[in-house]
Amino acid sequence: MSDDLGLWFDPSKCLIAGEWVAPSGGQYLPLENPSTGEKIGQIARGTGADIDAAVAAAEAARHGPWGRMSAAERGRILMTLGRMVLERVDDLARIEALDVGKPLKQARADAVALARYMEFYGGAADKLHGETIPYLEGYTVYTLREPHGVTGHIVPWNYPMQIIGRSVGAALATGNACVLKPAEDACLTALAFAEMAKAAGLPDGALNVVPGLGSEAGAALTAHPGVHHISFTGSVATGVMVQEAAAKNVIPVTLELGGKSPQVVFEDADIPAALPFLVNAGIQNAGQTCSASSRILVQRAVYDQVVERMALRYDALKVGRAMDDLDVGPLISARQKNIVSGFIDKGADLQIAGQGQLVSAPNGGNYVRPTLFANVSPGHCLARDEIFGPVQVVIPFEDEEEAVAIANGTDYGLVASVWSQNGARQMRMAKRIRAGQIFINNYGAGGGVELPFGGMGKSGHGREKGFEAMYGFTVLKTVAAFHG
Ligand code: NDP
């Protein structure tokens, strides 16, 4: 397939108050194709002044047609937007593949998920309601769920469409006005989405997009006194800064900070059924997935068998250009390639059980070979730190007790899975593993926009996806009326 971006919008602009405008500082950032290292365009380097203008536009939208719109009308716009996204799935997939390096199949799945978020939150917009509370004689008490106001959305580069869908979708459905700061390495689909939202009839200012650097536009957004809620997905270090900035303005924050998610395979597991999940959950999106499963815990009796069969799958993995749509694409940037290669080097003294092959990897692309390490001790940095690349470790365990200790033995707690045919064991493990989502005899459950998602420990706090996100994007007001 051709490397032509074929854009139908100007990628070097910001969307503020419904207008496409140049960044106020007149500066731009280069866009690189991670598959080749070639420059493919430029995006706006938004400034603090652009963030000021975007926050002012969002505040104005709250008091204009957007703020007065019924929940049903908001929902209708989101559903229209979902249909428009579906019509452009192939265009969005191509743009994402070239900008972010995702193999086309994955990029397409992300675009379909974006549409699905619009359908889900569009349909849910008029189904969120407060409650009445039985109280003292002479009172009627009820609660109202109101939007926070202006919400800030800091989105990373690994799944731009899905993360915009889950956070901006829920925020708009509940009547907030949004300011979105996409990652500098992954802006194009955010801008495409904003252009479609405008065409779908979203009133001016309800969604503003300011591309730029995290340390400039991102920091300005999270510290802005006119913002009432921040949703952040990214690294722990940046998440801490975001939470500190939000604390100064005393506003709520949702943090989704990745993980070191385990899959626990017991000797009674259906191993053929587990195998594709064990490997795919580690190499999907070149391992650059917050919920990647980077630790495979296997009971001794089946340990050798599982390692051997995973290794065969690793050896067959083909790595190459996103547009060639192989098993694994490039990493997002040379910087990320250095981080991941550094981790692989740290495993020099470990057993490499299997490795994928580079089959179409032009010089200048950010490729690493997917690598499976066996017999890794739970204390090794490869088994504790988030690598964010196509690297998995397989760790043996003796019994349930040890499996729980290893599974809970990192700072993170985002996702986990349990592979076993024993129902009682499944239930025990689901209770004992510390993670925001537990899967039994599967991993990821197909991504499910309906399923609340978020972390424990350093994986973050707050829940996105499903109805739960709509509670997070609203604030509860209690009304107590005395009528005698
Ligand atoms: P960051 O956490 O720095 O970036 C995530 C988002 O935050 C981007 O939009 C970034 O913008 C923005 N940002 C950066 N600095 C600030 C700031 N001071 N204030 C507000 N926003 C800011 O991650 P990196 O891209 O640096 O990746 C480093 C590591 O983080 C990865 O190796 C991986 O381990 C982890 N990560 C985890 C993700 C997850 O899904 N949980 C997603 C991405 C990364 P910009 O990119 O423009 O700087």
Side-chain angles (χ1 to χ4, degrees):
M1 276 190 96
S2 107
D3 276 9
D4 179 21
L5 274 169
L7 298 182
W8 64 96
F9 55 91
D10 181 348
S12 65
K13 297 273 168 70
C14 311
L15 181 69
I16 299 176
E19 301 289 332
W20 290 102
V21 295
S24 61
Q27 294 198 331
Y28 297 88
L29 299 165
L31 277 186
E32 262 182 24
N33 178 347
S35 296
T36 60
E38 284 161 6
K39 185 165 182 275
I40 51 172
Q42 61 178 17
I43 53 155
R45 178 171 172 173
T47 62
D50 296 319
I51 292 291
D52 286 345
V55 172
E59 182 63 29
R62 292 176 63 203
H63 305 288
W66 177 241
R68 289 192 292 273
M69 204 172 262
S70 71
E73 284 174 290
R74 292 199 301 267
R76 200 172 296 129
I77 291 174
L78 291 181
M79 287 189 276
T80 303
L81 180 50
R83 278 194 295 279
M84 292 171 66
V85 169
L86 275 184
E87 280 161 17
R88 294 215 89 136
V89 158
D90 290 328
D91 293 332
L92 289 165
R94 189 187 64 249
I95 296 173
E96 195 79 314
L98 290 167
D99 189 23
V100 183
K102 275 175 199 271
L104 276 170
K105 257 194 297 301
Q106 175 67 52
R108 201 172 192 286
D110 287 6
V112 171
L114 172 61
R116 180 74 195 106
Y117 278 111
M118 296 307 115
E119 292 165 356
F120 179 86
Y121 286 117
D126 58 354
K127 293 162 191 74
L128 188 76
H129 47 71
E131 294 175 325
T132 55
I133 300 172
Y135 195 55
L136 302 175
E137 177 67 23
Y139 281 85
T140 296
V141 181
Y142 57 95
T143 58
L144 297 172
R145 284 211 166 265
E146 298 184 345
H148 289 288
V150 176
T151 52
H153 304 259
I154 310 267
V155 170
W157 40 261
N158 57 340
Y159 286 86
M161 286 192 272
Q162 296 217 29
I163 296 172
I164 289 169
R166 78 187 188 203
S167 89
V168 171
L172 290 175
T174 44
N176 296 281
C178 305
V179 179
L180 165 62
K181 208 301 280 177
E184 74 203 68
D185 290 328
C187 274
L188 293 184
T189 48
L191 295 166
F193 174 75
E195 191 273 341
M196 284 188 261
K198 198 167 147 56
L202 193 70
D204 294 348
L207 172 62
N208 306 274
V209 184
V210 182
L213 295 174
S215 54
E216 295 176 358
L221 178 59
T222 51
H224 202 290
V227 173
H228 306 108
H229 178 285
I230 298 278
S231 160
F232 171 84
T233 304
S235 64
V236 175
T238 305
V240 169
M241 285 197 277
V242 168
Q243 181 153 343
E244 280 171 357
K248 293 200 174 114
N249 290 324
V250 196
I251 58 167
V253 173
T254 301
L255 295 181
E256 201 272 86
L257 307 179
K260 194 72 191 170
S261 298
Q263 299 197 62
V264 185
V265 184
F266 285 94
E267 60 191 9
D268 63 348
D270 178 347
I271 290 170
L275 277 166
F277 289 89
L278 298 181
V279 173
N280 290 346
I283 55 101
Q284 178 179 315
N285 205 36
Q288 304 166 116
T289 304
C290 44
S291 55
S293 173
S294 46
R295 295 186 297 153
I296 309 297
L297 282 46
V298 186
Q299 199 160 18
R300 280 271 182 219
V302 291
Y303 184 81
D304 289 342
Q305 183 198 151
V306 170
V307 170
E308 206 170 292
R309 293 169 82 170
M310 285 185 74
L312 286 176
R313 284 174 178 263
Y314 259 77
D315 292 341
L317 290 173
K318 294 192 175 73
V319 182
R321 296 165 72 247
M323 297 305 271
D324 291 339
D325 205 10
L326 302 172
D327 304 307
V328 178
L331 299 174
I332 184 75
S333 59
R335 177 174 163 253
Q336 193 65 20
K337 178 183 167 178
N338 287 338
I339 295 175
V340 175
S341 305
F343 273 108
I344 295 175
D345 291 346
K346 284 181 192 162
D349 55 335
L350 300 173
Q351 176 199 346
I352 291 184
Q355 262 191 323
Q357 305 301 323
L358 306 187
V359 300
S360 80
N363 287 337
N366 310 313
Y367 301 97
V368 297
R369 290 177 68 189
T371 304
L372 180 71
F373 289 99
N375 282 311
V376 181
S377 93
H380 196 285
C381 67
L382 293 189
R384 301 184 69 90
D385 299 342
E386 185 177 51
I387 298 174
F388 232 61
V391 179
Q392 287 179 297
V393 297
V394 199
I395 306 171
F397 70 86
E398 298 295 341
D399 53 21
E400 265 182 54
E401 213 48 48
E402 194 185 8
V404 169
I406 299 173
N408 290 343
T410 72
D411 292 339
Y412 295 101
L414 191 59
V415 170
S417 84
V418 178
W419 292 91
S420 166
Q421 303 293 321
N422 178 329
R425 168 180 278 158
Q426 295 165 0
M427 298 301 120
R428 282 194 298 274
M429 293 296 288
K431 279 196 173 166
R432 295 186 66 192
I433 294 180
R434 189 182 71 145
Q437 283 189 331
I438 307 277
F439 299 104
I440 295 171
N441 292 333
N442 77 97
Y443 193 88
V449 309
E450 303 86 345
L451 312 180
F453 175 72
M456 299 184 183
K458 290 209 172 139
S459 289
H461 52 74
R463 292 292 176 266
E464 295 197 304
K465 303 173 72 166
F467 249 82
E468 204 58 36
M470 297 178 72
Y471 299 133
F473 278 110
T474 51
V475 60
L476 200 70
K477 180 185 278 177
T478 305
V479 181
F482 180 68
H483 38 69

